[in-house]
Amino acid sequence: MTTIKIAYSPCPNDTFVFDAWAHGRVPGAPRLDVTFADIDITNGMAERGEFDVLKVSYAVLPYVLDEYALLPCGGALGRGCGPLVLTREPGLDLSGMTVAVPSEKSTAYLLFRLWAADVIPDGVGRIVVLPFHEIMPAVRDGKVDAGLVIHEARFTYQNYGLHCLADMGEHWESTTGLPIPLGAIIAKRSLGDETLKLLAESARTSVRMAWDDPAASRPYVLEHAQEMDPAVADQHIGLYVNEFTADLGEDGYAAVRGLLTRAAAEGLVPPLGRDALTFGV
């Protein structure tokens, strides 16, 4: 079978999910040619159609679903796992302030804009895009007024002397009752229905193999975890790899539709086609 070119982040949830597949332990799965890249990079790759399979922000789906299909597994949704807005001082008014974000087409930024529309009527000032691992130092050092952070920053921001101004996931869950859609796995429609089905089955099997034998994935996870404390890596995996990773299910699809429909109504993304999220598995 043709090798599948795939790009995902070096974050522990992705390396945990894809470890078995990337190392040829998933029976019948196609071979993977893996590229590691941060989410802002993979979002751009998807818009340019550069890889067969990608981990991207759900916020980028309206721009790429003509060429790519959303796989019903392998991604990141959940509860209590949303992006945070961090500041040096508690209770800062962000009106007119400079905020660092990991990507202007990230789900984190989309959730931030929906939150800001509700609670900052005058709007924030300047938005700057930084790699997510540079955001907390930039806030700490006064280069920006606030930072929108994702991933393991939820567990480590206190180490930088920062304060959580707001939890985007908490706001989303309290206003919708739905889980938080963060990262999606997409695959090129041109691969054909049978290959797409095989890719979904392979991702699902890889997730379940990682759950069945967590120790097997540990070397791969820690190799790419950017000097992350192993305990933080475990927290990261525990938060972002859950039942929605194995299968989006009704609640997962409702969350994705809810986010993108609301964002489209606010003029933040193009509207989705009626069957854009449909996957025939």
Side-chain angles (χ1 to χ4, degrees), residues 182-229:
L182 296 170
I185 305 297
I186 58 173
K188 278 192 173 176
R189 297 183 187 274
S190 60
L191 293 169
D193 290 345
E194 288 304 310
T195 297
L196 290 175
K197 182 177 180 180
L198 176 60
L199 294 176
E201 290 172 348
S202 300
R204 188 175 287 120
T205 300
S206 190
V207 173
R208 289 174 174 160
M209 291 177 71
W211 280 331
D212 288 344
D213 185 8
S217 67
R218 198 155 185 78
Y220 191 52
V221 168
L222 295 182
E223 176 188 355
H224 297 285
Q226 300 178 349
E227 301 181 359
M228 190 186 303
D229 184 287

Side-chain angles (χ1 to χ4, degrees), residues 91-214:
L92 181 70
D93 181 356
L94 290 188
S95 298
M97 297 291 185
T98 298
V99 182
V101 303
S103 169
E104 288 189 289
K105 284 186 178 173
S106 66
T107 314
Y109 184 51
L110 197 56
L111 290 166
F112 171 80
R113 291 179 72 179
L114 292 172
W115 168 79
D118 288 344
V119 303
I120 310 175
D122 295 332
V124 301
R126 191 165 63 100
I127 296 294
V128 297
V129 176
L130 294 176
F132 80 89
H133 62 276
E134 295 181 11
I135 290 177
M136 289 190 292
V139 179
R140 177 196 62 199
D141 298 341
K143 296 177 180 177
V144 295
D145 299 305
L148 180 68
V149 299
I150 53 177
H151 301 323
E152 67 279 355
R154 166 175 287 273
F155 311 117
T156 61
Y157 70 85
Q158 296 95 335
N159 299 340
Y160 293 79
L162 302 179
H163 299 269
C164 178
L165 182 70
D167 184 326
M168 304 297 92
E170 185 177 279
H171 179 261
W172 170 257
E173 289 184 70
S174 68
T175 55
T176 68
L178 295 168
I180 308 152
L182 296 170
I185 305 297
I186 58 173
K188 278 192 173 176
R189 297 183 187 274
S190 60
L191 293 169
D193 290 345
E194 288 304 310
T195 297
L196 290 175
K197 182 177 180 180
L198 176 60
L199 294 176
E201 290 172 348
S202 300
R204 188 175 287 120
T205 300
S206 190
V207 173
R208 289 174 174 160
M209 291 177 71
W211 280 331
D212 288 344
D213 185 8

